[in-house]
Amino acid sequence: MSYAIIGFGKIGQALAKAFARNGIEVSVATTRDPESFASAAAAIGPTIIPKTLADAVKADIIFLAVRFESHPDVAKALSSWEGKTIIDATNVFPVPEELDGLPSSAFVAKAFTGAKLVKGFNHLIAATLAADPIVEGGHRVVFLSSDDEDAIAPVAALAKQLGLAPVKLGKLNEGGALVHARGRTWGQLIFQDLFKKEQ
């Protein structure tokens, strides 16, 4: 299984730190030339590999860590996203009218034709996401939701590899609503820093 992070702002770098901490290789890309962020990637660790967007999207599981408005630009990198899983780590607030009542991730999913989409890793602020997820024997929780039932399992497995405790919320417009903005209010689980103890 290969991994990529698209976007190398605060959230992208926080995700990269989680991969580096666990010695897992991940490609990182933006719409810019990889040389422009190579030194920042090297500072995080040797398993963080700067690539062009065209090369990074060859990965099996791809984190979308760009501004919500930029997701259509990323989606243009491939004509079909068949066989790929997109982890939507974006947030949009307040919700723009063009979403037409859809959760933002359902709107994002429409742009990535053929991909399976999982909403996840979006409810924590970057500094928290970048920190060691194991505190006093508990693992920091990440919430996952998807309209593709079988898409969540590999993302949950990755979350565990990263030291996190995945909690499945079900479909995007059901439990997933708890980690989406609705109009001018955040879902109740946004910014909640929760831990799960080992059973």
Side-chain angles (χ1 to χ4, degrees):
M1 196 73 76
S2 55
Y3 307 109
I5 300 165
I6 310 302
F8 206 52
K10 287 182 180 174
I11 294 293
Q13 291 191 34
L15 289 165
K17 285 173 185 170
F19 276 86
R21 189 183 300 116
N22 293 281
I24 302 168
E25 188 169 297
V26 64
S27 303
V28 292
T30 69
T31 50
R32 303 191 315 275
D33 187 295
E35 286 174 12
S36 67
F37 55 90
S39 60
I44 293 173
T47 60
I48 312 306
I49 315 296
K51 289 194 177 175
T52 62
L53 182 57
D55 279 339
V57 297
K58 293 174 183 170
D60 302 309
I61 294 181
I62 299 164
F63 284 86
L64 189 62
V66 297
R67 289 196 320 277
F68 174 79
E69 306 78 55
S70 302
H71 79 268
D73 299 330
V74 177
K76 288 176 195 155
L78 288 176
S79 54
S80 169
W81 292 81
E82 201 72 45
K84 298 190 181 296
T85 299
I86 302 288
I87 302 173
D88 179 15
T90 68
N91 284 315
V92 57
F93 184 82
V95 175
E97 283 179 19
E98 77 251 24
L99 299 199
D100 213 18
L102 284 175
S104 60
S105 289
F107 191 81
V108 168
K110 292 202 286 188
F112 291 87
T113 313
K116 294 176 177 176
L117 185 132
V118 176
K119 180 73 166 181
F121 295 80
N122 68 297
H123 82 284
L124 296 169
I125 62 169
T128 303
L129 192 55
D132 188 336
I134 302 167
V135 175
E136 293 173 9
H139 290 251
R140 180 168 279 116
V141 165
V142 287
F143 297 107
L144 306 175
S145 59
S146 180
D147 291 342
D148 284 294
E149 189 59 41
D150 56 345
I152 289 185
V155 177
L158 172 60
K160 285 182 179 171
Q161 273 187 279
L162 296 174
L164 296 154
V167 173
K168 300 171 190 175
L169 296 178
K171 292 188 180 297
L172 295 174
N173 66 347
E174 296 170 359
L178 296 169
V179 290
H180 275 86
R182 291 267 171 181
R184 295 192 166 274
T185 59
W186 287 110
Q188 292 97 312
L189 294 178
I190 292 266
F191 311 130
Q192 298 289 324
D193 188 15
L194 306 173
F195 290 84
K196 193 174 177 183
K197 293 281 188 187
E198 292 292 340
Q199 296 300 317

